[in-house]
Amino acid sequence: MNANPKIYFDLVNSLMETKEWQDIEKNDPVINSAYEAVFDTLENLKDTISIETLDSISRSIGDYASAKADCAALYGIQVAITMNEIIKDPSIYSNYIMEKYISKRK
């Protein structure tokens, strides 16, 4: 079966639209601190660059943050799948460790 990126896109968008994620975004102190720092910086720039440039920078920051969140969600899904597979079959992990150990001895 070939990977269908649209499924991943839809899944990530669905995750980002849940109440739980919205609560995290709204209440997480690290996210809030980063948000304030970005917009304080943009506020300080407003008298030195055009509004169009300021808007472009703001959109670019948002796009960057969104892309990182999407990738983090997909990585989290991959980690969960991997952990599930190893829990179902611990020999996968044991074989990995043995191969790693043997390769170090060579």
Side-chain angles (χ1 to χ4, degrees):
M1 180 173 158
N2 292 332
N4 183 341
K6 183 179 181 328
I7 292 172
Y8 286 103
F9 177 81
D10 292 344
L11 176 62
V12 169
N13 282 337
S14 294
L15 290 171
M16 299 302 175
E17 292 174 6
T18 63
K19 182 178 178 343
E20 291 82 3
W21 178 249
Q22 290 170 358
D23 287 346
I24 290 169
E25 278 190 313
K26 186 169 51 170
N27 298 307
D28 183 86
V30 175
I31 292 172
N32 289 332
S33 178
Y35 177 87
E36 288 173 16
V38 165
F39 285 96
D40 286 349
T41 302
L42 291 174
E43 182 69 23
N44 291 335
L45 291 172
K46 76 178 185 177
D47 293 330
T48 61
I49 59 176
S50 71
I51 191 71
E52 292 82 11
T53 301
L54 198 59
D55 286 345
S56 177
I57 292 169
S58 181
R59 279 192 303 277
S60 295
I61 291 169
D63 291 347
Y64 172 70
S66 178
K68 283 189 75 166
D70 291 353
C71 288
L74 289 175
Y75 177 69
I77 292 167
Q78 291 174 349
V79 169
I81 290 168
T82 299
M83 291 185 71
N84 186 51
E85 291 299 315
I86 290 172
I87 289 167
K88 288 190 317 190
D89 185 1
S91 68
I92 294 170
Y93 183 69
S94 297
N95 291 335
Y96 171 78
I97 294 300
M98 287 304 296
E99 288 173 14
K100 224 173 138 81
Y101 176 75
I102 290 169
S103 70
K104 283 185 178 179
R105 293 176 57 199
K106 291 183 179 180

